[in-house]
Amino acid sequence: MKAGIVGLPNVGKSTLFNCLSNAKAQSANFPFCTIEPNIGVVNVPDPRLEKLEELVKPERVLPATVEIVDIAGLVKGASKGEGLGNQFLANIRETDAILHVLRCFDNENIVHVDGSVDPIRDKETIDMELQLKDLETADKKLDKVKRAAKTGNKEAQKEEAVLLKIKAGLEAGVSVRALEFSEEDYEEFVKPSQFITDKPVMYVCNVDESAANTGNAYVDKVKEAVKDENAEVLVLAVGTEADINELDDYEERQMFLADIGLEEPGSAKLIRSAYKLLNQQTYFTAGVKEVRAWTVNVGATGPQAAGVIHTDFEKGFIRAEVIAYNDYVEYGSEAKVKDAGKMRVEGKNYIVKDGDVMHFLFNV
């Protein structure tokens, strides 16, 4: 699962990507510095993993990861191929969620592609380009479906109605994610089309250091503008995060964070939020060889969770031994949890909960 960082040129996307991945993507004060998408595999910060390590004392610890893609800056006309539009839009289509970076700071030394700082205008520019691309997709599909609908094909008629609703919404400037569909229509007709504006989105307001804790007037405008979108708004001082990232010493980092009134780097919160945005959750395996966080979709069953480790585990799944994370911490070891009768045995229909500590029995 991948989350793509999008935004206009020079809003701080590549700097943010560097903070998240410790990769050094090009970062420069002019548009189109980043052409190929940079991909970083980022560890998901999880204090529960540290606690399990403390209790189990394993040989190694492996955190969950999420893929972050740094996509080059979009500009007006991208949907028509302006700048490097077609390539950028293709890169966005391949991601599963969007982290939309908005410039919410003043700095005369960093040029803005439109000459002034206005995060709402910037958001609308990108929204419009993505909506225009989706409109193109909807029109192409409609051309095909209409012919079948005219012959009386009931499925085609249903799909035509859904596509016409999407087309009308996009023409009115409404993203696909903001439209309402029945579950059946969504699964059958909307989801397979992979509309860009159907992807879940989080707005990242890039502020200066003084606003890292409280936000500013630009952030307030963004929150007001997106209040009906069911999207998270995260405030991040990307330049400050880059400075924190340069410090190798843990104590120095903590002092720096304390100075600006933060308990942890904002990037850690962003990674966790991106993980949730992708509809992901974590279960753990805990033994002396390794303590490991595994990633599954929210709603995954026991066999599906087992399949993340190995496909044979899913095929031959018999049952799962499950300990709730809080019980593991309370009793301090697997043996004590068993003695207290808190270990559960779950079958094929079990829906995995975030934080479950699991052990699978299988037979192939």
Side-chain angles (χ1 to χ4, degrees), residues 143-189:
D143 284 346
K144 287 181 186 171
V145 169
K146 275 179 175 171
R147 286 193 291 274
K150 276 178 185 165
T151 66
N153 182 312
K154 292 276 187 273
E155 280 300 291
Q157 287 170 351
K158 271 203 232 170
E159 186 170 6
E160 183 184 25
V162 169
L163 289 168
L164 286 169
K165 182 177 180 176
I166 288 170
K167 181 178 165 70
L170 291 166
E171 285 174 341
V174 180
S175 293
V176 176
R177 77 178 77 83
L179 299 170
E180 285 186 16
F181 303 96
S182 71
E183 196 176 331
E184 186 187 332
D185 282 351
Y186 180 78
E187 288 297 324
E188 201 169 337
F189 306 123

Side-chain angles (χ1 to χ4, degrees), residues 107-312:
N107 185 332
E108 289 173 9
N109 297 319
I110 300 176
V111 296
H112 189 290
V113 73
D114 287 329
S116 62
V117 177
D118 183 346
I120 307 307
R121 178 200 60 211
D122 296 354
K123 173 194 174 309
E124 286 168 355
T125 297
I126 295 236
D127 282 352
M128 189 166 73
E129 293 307 324
L130 300 184
Q131 286 162 1
L132 285 169
K133 200 67 189 169
D134 277 351
L135 197 51
E136 207 180 282
T137 303
D139 281 338
K140 278 181 188 166
K141 283 193 158 288
L142 267 167
D143 284 346
K144 287 181 186 171
V145 169
K146 275 179 175 171
R147 286 193 291 274
K150 276 178 185 165
T151 66
N153 182 312
K154 292 276 187 273
E155 280 300 291
Q157 287 170 351
K158 271 203 232 170
E159 186 170 6
E160 183 184 25
V162 169
L163 289 168
L164 286 169
K165 182 177 180 176
I166 288 170
K167 181 178 165 70
L170 291 166
E171 285 174 341
V174 180
S175 293
V176 176
R177 77 178 77 83
L179 299 170
E180 285 186 16
F181 303 96
S182 71
E183 196 176 331
E184 186 187 332
D185 282 351
Y186 180 78
E187 288 297 324
E188 201 169 337
F189 306 123
V190 184
K191 196 176 175 182
S193 300
Q194 290 187 298
F195 290 107
I196 300 172
T197 65
D198 188 37
K199 296 178 191 297
V201 67
M202 175 166 63
Y203 295 98
V204 182
C205 293
N206 183 9
V207 299
D208 55 25
E209 189 176 308
S210 63
N213 218 349
T214 54
N216 57 25
Y218 290 131
V219 174
D220 294 340
K221 284 181 183 173
V222 171
K223 286 181 176 173
E224 178 61 26
V226 307
K227 67 178 192 292
D228 297 328
E229 283 193 37
N230 192 24
E232 188 178 350
V233 176
L234 202 70
V235 178
L236 207 63
V238 174
T240 305
E241 294 287 326
D243 292 340
I244 294 169
N245 220 34
E246 293 299 318
L247 300 172
D248 293 325
D249 185 72
Y250 175 78
E251 298 300 326
E252 279 183 34
R253 283 185 179 211
Q254 294 309 111
M255 282 167 65
F256 193 136
L257 287 166
D259 283 346
I260 56 173
L262 295 175
E263 287 180 12
E264 65 174 354
S267 53
K269 191 175 177 187
L270 175 62
I271 295 164
R272 284 198 295 271
S273 298
Y275 193 65
K276 278 189 185 156
L277 194 67
L278 289 163
N279 201 36
Q280 306 282 274
Q281 64 178 5
T282 301
Y283 77 85
F284 302 102
T285 51
V288 288
K289 284 281 181 199
E290 70 173 26
V291 164
R292 182 163 182 165
W294 300 88
T295 300
V296 289
N297 287 332
V298 172
T301 62
Q304 286 168 337
V308 174
I309 299 176
H310 198 288
T311 50
D312 284 351

Side-chain angles (χ1 to χ4, degrees), residues 282-345:
T282 301
Y283 77 85
F284 302 102
T285 51
V288 288
K289 284 281 181 199
E290 70 173 26
V291 164
R292 182 163 182 165
W294 300 88
T295 300
V296 289
N297 287 332
V298 172
T301 62
Q304 286 168 337
V308 174
I309 299 176
H310 198 288
T311 50
D312 284 351
F313 283 28
E314 183 171 1
K315 284 179 200 158
F317 181 93
I318 300 169
R319 63 181 182 273
E321 294 175 346
V322 183
I323 302 169
Y325 169 78
N326 288 340
D327 287 339
Y328 204 111
V329 171
E330 185 184 337
Y331 293 98
S333 74
E334 189 178 307
K336 286 179 181 171
V337 171
K338 276 182 181 171
D339 290 345
K342 293 285 184 179
M343 179 186 277
R344 307 189 312 278
V345 174

